[in-house]
Amino acid sequence: MFTADDKLRHLIEENPQLLGVMTRFGLSFGFGDKTVRKACADDDVDRESFLAVCNFLCHKDYSRYKISLPTIMSYLGKAHAHFLEFLLPSIRRKLIEAINCSDINDIAFLLLRFFDDYVAEVNSHMQHENDEVFSYVKRLSAGEIPVGFRISDYSLNHVSMTDKLNELKDVFIQHYHVKDNEILTSALIDIIHCGDELNRHCEIENELFIPAVEELEQVMKIQSKVGTAKGCAKDVNKGLIGVMTEREKDIIRCVAKGMANKEIASYLCLSIHTVTTYRRNISAKLEIHSAAGLTIFAILNNLINIRDVNPKV
């Protein structure tokens, strides 16, 4: 696993494709023997997000690193610009030059139109992310819960846009008869590279960005419930917290952290049967029977900080 104390050049030596990641995070070249920690500090880059992406792309453990949504959105936005403003236009220029170097025919221009239609679809997809999805996340981060949209609405139909690109490549390779065309060969290699990059980009969105947004949605949901509950339950809760034993409070804290009975038993050095009995007694005292309800009770009574709450509870 890459860590903050690894030298940045060692990451690049292991996977040269991380040069593109560096650029999109805003890290400067000419880093010499700087560690990831030093390079990120010098360029004001969120180290945890950078390491999460690098480890993910190199098939290493990335779970220990916390994603910063503003940072990952900036990274994804720059990746969109890379595809739309550099990589895809570069491929188009090569295709046009390759066609001009061969016999001009209808098939060549149909293939070019196919490519242009594909680029228009990619542009529409990425603009939707820039304008709608990222806007939603920014509003959510600011404490607003927008109505009518959840990140799951976007994630259900979010797939890599490489099928048409691969189809175009296959048509050129299998049916466009031309010899000794180095420009076309270079364009096809770029198409393959572009497809690989699009796949990795989609995986980062699915495995890093979307789960981070889902976690934020859950936290906002809990905060909303707590805000509602505070308005009508202050006096009742003061009385209820007074009848709870310290061990019962410990159990409630563990529940709010998302621990199962077996985990609670191990953590508190109790038997599972004892934990089950405690939870039954707690539910009877508080008349709260769900983990979500106990979590809200714990937050309202300062048994746990909301940052320590498991968002899946």
Side-chain angles (χ1 to χ4, degrees):
M1 180 173 59
F2 298 136
T3 69
D5 295 318
D6 285 326
K7 291 183 178 179
L8 196 54
R9 64 181 177 85
H10 290 163
L11 274 67
I12 306 304
E13 288 167 0
E14 180 166 334
N15 187 348
Q17 292 175 339
L18 295 181
L19 281 169
V21 174
M22 278 184 52
T23 299
R24 289 161 212 162
F25 269 102
L27 286 169
S28 305
F29 291 154
F31 42 78
D33 277 338
K34 286 183 182 179
T35 63
V36 172
R37 186 189 309 278
K38 174 65 173 169
C40 288
D42 287 349
D43 286 324
D44 195 25
V45 172
D46 183 72
R47 184 177 69 244
E48 297 260 321
S49 299
F50 174 72
L51 284 168
V53 171
C54 289
N55 279 291
F56 176 79
L57 290 176
C58 294
H59 309 289
K60 301 176 185 290
D61 180 20
Y62 61 90
S63 60
R64 64 176 285 186
Y65 297 111
K66 180 75 172 176
I67 292 293
S68 160
L69 280 171
T71 300
I72 200 70
M73 284 192 294
S74 173
Y75 167 84
L76 293 173
K78 289 178 181 178
H80 293 167
H82 168 71
F83 288 116
L84 297 174
E85 298 173 13
F86 175 75
L87 190 50
L88 291 170
S90 174
I91 292 172
R92 189 181 193 277
R93 287 192 296 269
K94 288 184 179 181
L95 289 176
I96 290 174
E97 190 173 352
I99 290 170
N100 288 338
C101 289
S102 65
D103 293 332
I104 297 177
N105 54 62
D106 291 340
I107 294 176
F109 286 103
L110 285 173
L111 288 170
L112 190 60
R113 183 184 298 173
F114 184 101
F115 179 77
D116 288 342
D117 290 343
Y118 168 75
V119 172
E121 288 184 25
V122 174
N123 182 73
S124 177
H125 174 85
M126 291 184 173
Q127 283 302 125
H128 171 71
E129 291 180 355
N130 291 342
D131 298 338
E132 302 298 331
V133 179
F134 292 171
S135 175
Y136 164 75
V137 177
K138 289 175 183 176
R139 292 166 65 191
L140 199 65
S141 300
E144 181 183 351
I145 304 180
V147 177
F149 182 82
R150 290 292 177 270
I151 197 65
S152 57
D153 301 330
Y154 161 74
S155 64
L156 287 174
N157 299 310
H158 185 249
V159 294
S160 175
M161 300 186 67
T162 57
D163 288 348
K164 284 191 175 182
L165 197 61
N166 289 329
E167 185 179 341
L168 176 67
K169 173 203 67 180
D170 292 340
V171 169
F172 267 113
I173 291 173
Q174 297 175 28
H175 304 291
Y176 188 67
H177 184 70
V178 63
K179 289 178 65 176
D180 301 326
N181 193 324
E182 291 292 340
I183 299 173
L184 180 58
T185 300
S186 178
L188 293 176
I189 290 172
D190 286 351
I191 286 174
I192 293 169
H193 167 70
C194 182
D196 290 340
E197 279 214 46
L198 282 168
N199 279 328
R200 289 192 294 270
H201 178 79
C202 182
E203 288 169 357
I204 289 171
E205 290 178 325
N206 286 339
E207 301 299 327
L208 299 181
F209 172 63
I210 291 174
V213 178
E214 289 174 336
E215 182 175 335
L216 177 60
E217 287 178 337
Q218 290 294 327
V219 169
M220 293 297 295
K221 184 178 179 181
I222 290 171
Q223 288 179 333
S224 177
K225 287 182 178 179
V226 170
T228 301
K230 279 183 177 179
C232 59
K234 284 185 178 180
D235 294 336
V236 175
N237 285 326
K238 285 180 181 178
L240 291 174
I241 196 67
V243 300
M244 306 301 296
T245 67
E246 289 305 313
R247 181 58 81 190
E248 287 172 336
K249 293 176 185 177
D250 290 338
I251 298 286
I252 294 173
R253 291 187 187 97
C254 290
V255 172
K257 291 179 180 179
M259 299 168 67
N261 283 357
K262 185 177 180 180
E263 294 173 302
I264 296 173
S266 176
Y267 181 72
L268 297 178
C269 300
L270 301 171
S271 70
I272 294 180
H273 174 73
T274 300
V275 172
T276 302
T277 301
Y278 268 119
R279 290 198 63 173
R280 186 166 54 246
N281 292 340
I282 290 168
S283 294
K285 283 183 179 181
L286 301 180
E287 296 185 0
I288 298 174
H289 303 281
S290 68
L294 289 175
T295 298
I296 292 173
F297 177 86
I299 296 171
L300 288 173
N301 289 280
N302 299 315
L303 296 180
I304 191 171
N305 191 295
I306 194 168
R307 290 191 300 272
D308 298 323
V309 171
N310 185 334
K312 301 300 183 184
V313 170

